[in-house]
Amino acid sequence: MNSVFYVIAIMGCGDGQAQCAQQRVETARYASAAQCQAAMPAALMRNTDLDFPTITAACRQIGTSMAGRPGRDRRG
């Protein structure tokens, strides 16, 4: 079973992107990392109200994938 999805984490950083800390997580979920990355520019534009010199975004994988997990016998 595969229940993996991606979300966009919005991070606020000090000058020079030092000391970045997650500030928000967008509510939208994406089926792939590529879809998530494509949505990052718009997510950054929605979060310009944060009071940090630099705002960045990163895609975070959420959930678990049963495929390929050690110790799981898939023969039945």
Side-chain angles (χ1 to χ4, degrees), residues 2-3 7-8 13 17 19-20 26-27 33-34 36 41-43 54 56 62-64 69-72 75:
N2 190 1
S3 59
V7 295
I8 299 174
C13 305
Q17 295 189 355
Q19 301 175 354
C20 293
E26 292 270 298
T27 58
C36 183
T54 303
T56 64
I62 306 292
T64 58
R69 287 182 56 190
R72 302 294 285 188
R75 288 180 282 178

Side-chain angles (χ1 to χ4, degrees), residues 12-13 23-24 47-55:
C13 305
Q23 300 300 309
R24 298 178 180 154
N47 289 280
T48 58
D49 63 315
L50 293 172
D51 190 24
F52 288 88
T54 303
I55 306 296

Side-chain angles (χ1 to χ4, degrees), residues 4-46:
V4 173
F5 57 91
Y6 298 84
V7 295
I8 299 174
I10 305 296
M11 295 171 297
C13 305
D15 289 327
Q17 295 189 355
Q19 301 175 354
C20 293
Q22 182 174 302
Q23 300 300 309
R24 298 178 180 154
V25 175
E26 292 270 298
T27 58
R29 296 179 178 186
Y30 303 94
S32 71
Q35 290 173 337
C36 183
Q37 290 170 348
M40 277 199 289
L44 284 169
M45 293 303 294
R46 286 190 296 273

Side-chain angles (χ1 to χ4, degrees), residues 65-74:
S65 174
M66 299 297 280
R69 287 182 56 190
R72 302 294 285 188
D73 186 353
R74 291 187 238 138

